[in-house]
Each structure stands twice: as C-alpha cells, then as structure tokens.
Amino acid sequence: MKRFLRHLLILLGLPKSLYLCLRTLPFKDALRVPIIVSPLTKFISTSGKIRLDNQNHFGTIRMGFDGSGLSYTKRIILHIEGNITFNGNCILGGGTEISVTKDAELSFGSDVKLMGECKVISTNKITIGNGCRISWNTQIMDTDFHDIFLDGQLLNQSRPVTIGNHVWICSGVKIYKGVEIANGCVVCADSSIRHTIIRNNCIFAGMPIRILRENIEWRP
C-alpha cells in the first residue's frame, strides 16, 4: 500500500517537479526531471539555482515521498534563493524544510537520506558528505538569525557547517554554526552540537557533547 501511495504521489507531483526543474536547472537537464517532489510541496522561493553532479536521470533527487511513519503525508517546504548542489542521489523525507538564502550554499554528497521533518537552514554554507543518514526532527543551521552588536561590531556572524562522510545524525539532534563533524561518526539522539568533532568513527552524545565510544563502525 505504501509503495502504491508513493507512486501515486510521484504522478500527482509531476507538475510541481517539472516546475522546480525548469526554474532551477539548465533547460536540457530539466527535461529529464531529475528532481521529483511531492504534490504537497510548498515553494517559498525558487529564484536560486540547483546543480547536479555525477547523475542526472529521472528521480535522482526525491523530495517528500519518504521518512519515518506518515512523514510522506506532510508538506515539504523549499526556500531556494542561493545555490544547492547534489553530488549524487539524495532523499529528503516528508515534512523537511530547506532554506538557502541569497548567496548562500548548500551541498549534499551522494547517497544522502534525510528522514521526515528535518530543517536545514543555510545563510552561509552547509556541506553534508557522502553516505550520511540524518534522522527525523533534526535541525542544521549556520546562523543565529538575529544580529548581536557590541560597540558597533557584529558579534555573531554566520559560520559554515561541515558534516563529513558516512555520518549518522540521530533524531532530535541540533547542529549549530561553525560545527564540523568528522567522518564515520554517530551523534546520539537529542544532542546539541556547538563545537567541532575532530575524531573519526566515534559515538558522541549530550550537551555539551562527550565521547561514548571510539573506533566504531556503523551500517545503514
């Protein structure tokens, strides 16, 4: 039944999928409809650009059809004023919100999956590496949104966020500006990450974060 509903949503979403492709991709690439979106998708802005590397066939990028529970029934929201790069296949679950402001960048590696109701907000630069799994209700942002000044100087400038390859971000995690997460790591549920994680293949948890295990491996 769920597979039937997914196929139905893909069919119903074709007008919006074609619209998004024509707005953000070169015309030749757009005709292949490499980005498919749910009919529930809401566009806040599509004035930015999307770049596809490595693959460019129907449904390489899938938005709004997957996720935990009934996430596929929830609206995905896209605010694209800057630049988004997909370096391979990518799945964004239902209820996900993507915001890339003017002159900002957002980059996804190959074989990346965001489950339902994730929020990714880029006003500077956010990079997500290959093979990452980002669970439901997570939040990644490179800004504090509101500026704070002292003697006329800005104290809280936005700073890039970099997530390495093969990183598992568990549910409810919040990742803030300036953070770098090393390859092969697991970030436990409900953690709040404000500092860089420089050790590969570790399990991290808490607020502030602490190492629970080292030299681990995980499989999707």
Side-chain angles (χ1 to χ4, degrees):
M1 177 62 72
K2 189 172 181 179
R3 178 178 295 181
F4 170 78
L5 289 175
R6 180 180 293 145
H7 289 163
L8 179 60
L9 287 172
I10 290 173
L11 181 62
L12 294 175
L14 281 177
K16 286 189 174 182
S17 299
L18 186 58
Y19 168 81
L20 177 63
C21 290
L22 288 171
R23 286 281 294 170
T24 60
L25 293 170
F27 182 74
K28 182 176 67 175
D29 295 334
L31 292 180
R32 299 177 182 175
V33 196
I35 305 170
I36 56 174
V37 300
S38 164
L40 304 177
T41 302
K42 180 177 181 179
F43 300 118
I44 302 299
S45 175
T46 55
S47 61
K49 295 297 180 183
I50 295 177
R51 175 182 174 184
L52 301 180
D53 288 341
N54 299 327
Q55 300 183 52
N56 188 8
H57 55 76
F58 180 83
T60 296
I61 313 302
R62 199 165 70 196
M63 301 184 182
F65 305 103
D66 304 87
S68 53
L70 297 177
S71 294
Y72 66 92
T73 66
K74 298 181 180 180
R75 172 177 289 180
I76 189 169
I77 299 176
L78 299 176
H79 171 226
I80 307 171
E81 293 184 348
N83 299 296
I84 300 180
T85 300
F86 292 98
N87 293 287
N89 60 301
C90 182
I91 291 175
L92 306 180
T96 293
E97 299 179 23
I98 301 292
S99 177
V100 186
T101 60
K102 187 176 180 181
D103 298 324
E105 299 178 32
L106 172 60
S107 176
F108 294 94
S110 179
D111 187 30
V112 172
K113 293 183 180 180
L114 278 70
M115 302 305 287
E117 300 176 85
C118 297
K119 291 184 179 181
V120 182
I121 302 168
S122 176
T123 65
N124 185 310
K125 184 177 183 179
I126 294 177
T127 303
I128 299 173
N130 299 325
C132 288
R133 298 294 184 267
I134 300 177
S135 193
W136 51 274
N137 199 31
T138 57
Q139 176 179 291
I140 304 169
M141 60 184 188
D142 61 8
T143 178
D144 295 332
F145 291 104
H146 304 289
D147 295 337
I148 301 174
F149 294 89
L150 178 64
D151 297 328
Q153 292 188 336
L154 181 63
L155 297 180
N156 60 333
Q157 293 180 338
S158 61
R159 290 185 289 148
V161 171
T162 302
I163 298 173
N165 297 322
H166 194 62
V167 173
W168 176 12
I169 309 295
C170 298
S171 61
V173 170
K174 293 178 172 59
I175 298 174
Y176 295 99
K177 67 178 188 179
V179 165
E180 295 183 26
I181 299 178
N183 298 332
C185 287
V186 176
V187 182
C188 294
D190 297 318
S191 297
S192 182
I193 311 300
R194 297 178 181 271
H195 302 287
T196 290
I197 298 172
I198 60 174
R199 297 187 186 180
N200 293 336
N201 304 104
C202 290
I203 300 177
F204 291 84
M207 184 178 65
I209 56 173
R210 64 189 186 280
I211 298 175
L212 301 183
R213 294 287 190 275
E214 298 185 59
N215 301 316
I216 59 97
E217 295 182 6
W218 70 272
R219 298 176 183 175

